[in-house]
Amino acid sequence: MLQIGWIRKLYPMYGYSLLLIIACLAACSNPDVKTIPQKIDYIRAISGKNDSIPVAIAQKGEVLIAYSDCYTCHKENRKSIGPAFKDIAKRYPVQRVFIDMLAQKVISGGKGAWGSATMSDHPKVPIEDAKVMVSYILSLK
Ligand code: HEC
């Protein structure tokens, strides 16, 4: 008896799910829905206060970046294979945690934070140099 009671309670839910599926199919096949531009938040800024970056560090970072291969994939102002340095600066506040995390990412490479393109690894870049490079990038706010 108990079992039949359960089935009776569940039965109307099938009806609802069917309606839902039909509604979804209708929405997907509606051409108007496709033409609405989807606004994707590419930057996804993390809020937080900014520490100051000594000018000498930023300048050294700029030189280290110029001497490395970074500019083959990054531009300062616009997206290339990798995100624009200015977009990276817009996302991360100038704080030690982010500088450390990004420096590690420059060394190990990876993907997924900005899209499906992969940053090559830079195992020969010392961690201190990577931090200086990242400091320069984050100074471009
Ligand atoms: C082969 C191309 C390539 C090279 C060379 C390259 N990058 Fe990148 N970089 C990328 C891509 C692609 C991403 C986005 C990765 C992601 O979506 O997670 C990225 C992301 C970054 C980020 C942001 C990481 C994050 O998680 O938000 C920093 C900082 C960065 N690169 C710095 C550098 C520096 C400094 C160099 C030079 C030492 C460098 N990149 C060289 C392709 C490259």
Side-chain angles (χ1 to χ4, degrees):
M1 276 311 282
L2 196 75
Q3 269 180 346
I4 293 169
W6 264 106
I7 291 166
R8 278 215 189 115
K9 271 185 203 156
L10 277 173
Y11 193 67
M13 281 171 69
Y14 290 121
Y16 285 129
S17 345
L18 203 71
L19 266 177
L20 217 79
I21 290 165
I22 292 168
C24 282
L25 286 175
C28 294
S29 58
N30 183 347
D32 288 345
V33 174
K34 280 187 192 141
T35 53
I36 298 170
Q38 297 291 308
K39 210 169 166 282
I40 297 162
D41 186 3
Y42 179 69
I43 308 271
R44 300 205 312 266
I46 299 165
S47 59
K49 65 174 181 62
N50 295 305
D51 297 340
S52 63
I53 299 168
V55 176
I57 297 286
Q59 282 172 342
K60 187 180 173 194
E62 188 174 13
V63 173
L64 286 173
I65 283 178
Y67 281 10
S68 188
D69 66 350
C70 319
Y71 285 125
T72 54
C73 295
H74 292 281
K75 301 276 169 280
E76 193 177 310
N77 290 308
R78 62 178 176 80
K79 185 182 177 304
S80 174
I81 295 166
F85 280 159
K86 283 204 168 153
D87 286 346
I88 298 174
K90 277 183 201 160
R91 179 182 290 186
Y92 300 100
V94 181
Q95 287 174 18
R96 194 189 220 131
V97 275
F98 296 115
I99 294 175
D100 289 355
M101 186 266 279
L102 292 172
Q104 196 52 58
K105 170 107 168 216
V106 168
I107 291 169
S108 55
K111 63 175 181 174
W114 295 86
S116 53
T118 306
M119 170 153 69
S120 51
D121 59 351
H122 297 86
K124 286 186 185 147
V125 173
I127 183 79
E128 288 310 320
D129 283 4
K131 285 185 198 172
V132 172
M133 289 173 172
V134 169
S135 300
Y136 164 69
I137 296 169
L138 296 191
S139 77
L140 296 170
K141 288 194 190 308

